[in-house]
Amino acid sequence: MLTIGKLGEAAGVKVPTIRYYEQIGLLPEPDRSAGNQRLYGQSALDRLAFIRHARELGFPLDAIRDLLSLSDRPDQSCAAADVIARAQLAEVESRLARLTALKAELERMVVQCAGGRIADCRVIEVLGDHSLCATDHRHPESEGAS
């Protein structure tokens, strides 16, 4: 059995994160020692490692919750897991497209900057007026916040 600190070390996750995952139900309530210290077994370590890896791959917590639920029922079809992974792939591809547009816009701003006075600075001008951008590089969630 592992204490919360040892579990965190073993999985590469900070203690407050473990507590948070317990609070939101991604990790089950642990057993407790006679002194009321949290104690975790191998299944908690495996589950925490799963969560950490999924977070590293960018999966949102709701998708991780669904994937964990699926992994708790190993006899069923993996079609639902495939749908979740495909949705995450689509999100990554969308993010890459936005980053590519962002890179192109930054390169264009830098190339067009004459290096003179701020009053004539293309970087400052473009940052002040999004309509001067060659591409729409905004994140979909910030569309209304312009």
Side-chain angles (χ1 to χ4, degrees):
M1 298 298 280
L2 300 168
T3 62
I4 194 168
K6 295 293 183 191
L7 177 70
E9 284 178 30
V13 176
K14 294 182 179 181
V15 168
T17 303
I18 296 171
R19 288 188 185 120
Y20 175 68
Y21 290 161
E22 289 174 3
Q23 180 185 354
I24 64 171
L26 289 180
L27 285 174
E29 286 291 319
D31 293 332
R32 298 279 183 155
S33 69
N36 205 29
Q37 190 174 32
R38 289 175 165 96
L39 296 174
Y40 302 88
Q42 184 63 45
S43 64
L45 177 57
D46 293 344
R47 193 171 183 95
L48 186 56
F50 181 101
I51 295 167
R52 179 175 179 239
H53 192 206
R55 293 296 289 156
E56 288 171 348
L57 290 170
F59 284 94
L61 291 176
D62 286 338
I64 294 171
R65 182 183 317 282
D66 292 343
L67 290 165
L68 285 167
S69 177
L70 292 168
S71 72
D72 289 339
R73 298 184 313 263
D75 292 336
Q76 66 184 11
S77 164
C78 70
D82 187 55
V83 167
I84 294 168
R86 286 180 188 278
Q88 182 59 21
L89 176 59
E91 175 57 30
V92 168
E93 288 170 341
S94 173
R95 238 182 289 155
L96 283 170
R98 285 192 311 274
L99 285 171
T100 299
L102 178 62
K103 179 181 182 272
E105 190 59 43
L106 289 168
E107 287 171 341
R108 191 176 74 85
M109 283 179 7
V110 169
V111 165
Q112 290 179 352
C113 185
R117 300 176 314 129
I118 286 294
D120 304 317
C121 181
R122 183 67 175 168
V123 172
I124 299 297
E125 182 182 4
V126 171
L127 289 175
D129 185 354
H130 191 278
S131 69
L132 296 174
C133 290
T135 61
D136 187 8
H137 49 80
R138 293 176 289 190
H139 190 280
E141 293 173 4
S142 67
E143 293 290 318
S146 333

